[in-house]
Amino acid sequence: MSLVQTALSTVTDAALGIWLGTILFFSFVGAPTTFDVLGDDAGQVVNAIFPKYYLLGVGLGAAALLAVLVAGLVTFFDAARVGLLALVAAGIGMNAYARWVLIPKMDRAGDDAFAQYHKQSVALNGVTMLAVGAALVLSHV
């Protein structure tokens, strides 16, 4: 493996690993702890975190996507690399949807529709977590 390929692989793995780590931490430590400590007031904190959280995912996904694309140009695009691109693009798409579509819907709906949009947010987060995890595995095939 050349130095360029090693650097691109490192960027891909770092971006995907940090992205997956943020999803896992927020989902299983950050958000639950915030709700345990603040109760009903936790929604305000979590809602303040969401835009940055999803934007971070889009940024990390974009870094991984760019590294995979450049690596494909340096070597070649095989089925694993195409699958990796698809998984990363799906993760970016889900985070972008949550950031620029779902959050504004939640803000406009207020407390009345929180449960409905919260379910969508949890589902998107879970599917994104699986996509990013699978991408990280696939980046080593």
Side-chain angles (χ1 to χ4, degrees), residues 79-90:
R81 193 173 315 266
V82 172
L84 176 57
L85 286 169
L87 288 167
V88 173

Side-chain angles (χ1 to χ4, degrees), residues 44-128:
Q44 292 177 340
V45 174
V46 172
N47 286 341
I49 292 170
F50 271 154
K52 296 169 187 163
Y53 170 76
Y54 290 123
L55 191 57
L56 177 64
V58 169
L60 290 166
L65 190 69
L66 183 60
V68 172
L69 284 170
V70 172
L73 297 175
V74 170
T75 56
F76 61 91
F77 285 96
D78 57 6
R81 193 173 315 266
V82 172
L84 176 57
L85 286 169
L87 288 167
V88 173
I92 292 170
M94 286 181 277
N95 271 211
Y97 174 83
R99 171 62 186 92
W100 287 290
V101 177
L102 189 58
I103 289 175
K105 282 183 182 180
M106 290 172 81
D107 290 343
R108 284 191 304 272
D111 293 338
D112 296 338
F114 177 79
Q116 173 191 352
Y117 292 124
H118 182 257
K119 287 178 186 175
Q120 289 179 27
S121 176
V122 169
L124 280 171
N125 205 51
V127 174
T128 302

